[in-house]
Amino acid sequence: VQLQASGGGLVRPGGSLRLSCAASGFNLDRYAVAWFRQAPGKEREGVACISARDGRTYYADAVKGRFTISADKAENTVYLQVNSPKPEDTAVYYCATEHYTPYCSSSWYILLPYQVWGQGTQVTVSS
């Protein structure tokens, strides 16, 4: 059971970037998946979550309206579309799943329940 995050890089403020989270060893249509991020010197924080069963999405206030989480079940991949990034979005981005439920919980942004983590991909927002 593994998650592989990719797609990070250097992006200018106001640009766009798409992060990918490919699953292996399990089907993403069975479990909710979330994106987290960790900036230097800061704690890891929840960014977005997508429920597997009904596709409902949840976002942190800081990214609402700019980021979009989606899932491609045929590709067994979850994406995070990053639009209009700001310098404060600079961080290592991780995808994760509790590997327990198809639904994002009301406290999806809490790290402890997540059992499977991708390795992280660096996003740097700079002009």
Side-chain angles (χ1 to χ4, degrees), residues 38-121:
Q38 187 166 19
K42 295 188 177 181
E43 294 186 352
R44 195 169 298 188
E45 62 179 4
V47 175
C49 186
I50 184 166
S51 292
R53 193 61 53 83
D54 55 14
R56 292 188 69 175
T57 57
Y58 305 82
Y59 297 93
D61 288 343
V63 306
K64 203 171 293 184
R66 299 186 298 118
F67 291 13
T68 303
I69 189 171
S70 62
D72 185 330
K73 294 180 180 180
E75 296 293 327
N76 213 31
T77 299
V78 169
Y79 299 99
L80 185 69
Q81 180 68 39
V82 177
N83 293 332
S84 300
K86 306 174 182 179
E88 52 264 42
D89 293 321
T90 295
V92 177
Y93 284 71
Y94 301 87
C95 55
T97 179
E98 293 185 19
H99 201 244
Y100 173 73
T101 172
Y103 300 106
C104 299
S105 72
S106 59
S107 56
W108 62 267
Y109 46 87
I110 295 178
L111 277 66
L112 188 59
Y114 290 87
Q115 300 182 35
V116 182
W117 289 83
Q119 83 287 8
T121 185

